[in-house]
Amino acid sequence: MPKISSDTLWEIAAEEVRCREEDEGETATERTSERTVFLMGSKSGGKTSILLRCLDRDEPSKPTLALEYTFGRRARGHNTPKDIAHLWELGGGTSLSDLVQIPITPVSIRSLSLILILDLSKPNALWGTMEKLLQAAQAQLEKVFTQAQQAEKGKPGAKHQTPAHSATRVLPKDYPDRELLSPFPVPLLIIGSKYDIFQEFDSDKKKVVSKTLRFIAHYYAASLIFTSIKSESLMSKAKSFFSHLAFGVDRGKTVSCDSTKPLIIPAGSDSFSQIGSPPTTDVDVISRHAKTPKDLWKKVYESVFPQEGTSEQRELKDPAKDQQYNEPQIDAMRAQKDQELEQYKRNAAKSWKGLELET
């Protein structure tokens, strides 16, 4: 007859975990690291293509229907666990910004990073896209931070603990213009896509776009890089920034702030003094109507590139009719159920008409 132990279930479980860790020789550095990266940005701005290139996946990109999930893995060395990156991609530009609540959760914010991909070839939609998506993400982040803090308050000993979540991202004391910034709550990378088209723009217009994005990136304590899927060298640099967020890999020390060249500016490598004032001759007139420096840059940018409406129509195809999701047996059953539904509607309509006549 087996011996009955007086230990509680929790004591037995704790001992089991301790024994497993001893047997496997597991250390903190050998444990699998998991991070979450959320990509969003301009509609048809190249988000999927850039993601596939960063993951070294040689496959054709398909339009993102709404919100899609994939993952990436990377080994730190021989016979070590692979780090995992949970990757979410928001499609539809700004039309589906309410879906940010799915990837931004109390669990994911512990290791969450955000990548905003803006189409440089469409400057007239750039500011509106950037503003709406960042506002949606920031609102959800603040909501989640609040929920996480409230949950922690209910834990034993919470009064003597430092909150694990904070809506305010703390920057190093030597960070340039630290007191003048509004750091985004989580690490943020802004990617300007389709640089191959953008480089053919008029030099003055390129200067406006480049300086404006430098201001925005520095204001949010974010990194900024311009890239093109048609350039191996630019994609290689973009991949290093992506890998830094997804797997903690060193992103390199290259910095390029020249508006005549692709921008490569890691967070903390720029300053307002280097960026200078907004590129316009009417800055004094415009500044009278601007309430904040960010508002000033917005008005200057929109004076050069009047913004198109960002209330995009949800031109999303029915996934059930999309060829890339073909499932013959399921589609046949779906067609049968659709026919049964239509027949039911017709019969119901006849019944209501019969009741009306009797009445």
Side-chain angles (χ1 to χ4, degrees), residues 233-258:
S233 62
L234 290 180
M235 277 307 307
S236 176
K237 292 179 174 63
K239 182 181 177 181
S240 69
F241 276 75
F242 168 83
S243 298
H244 176 70
L245 297 179
F247 304 110
V249 178
D250 184 15
R251 66 189 171 198
K253 298 180 180 180
T254 304
V255 178
S256 175
C257 300
D258 188 346

Side-chain angles (χ1 to χ4, degrees), residues 260-278:
T260 63
K261 299 177 182 179
L263 298 181
I264 305 173
I265 309 176
S269 302
D270 214 344
S271 67
F272 289 140
S273 61
Q274 292 178 330
I275 297 170
S277 59

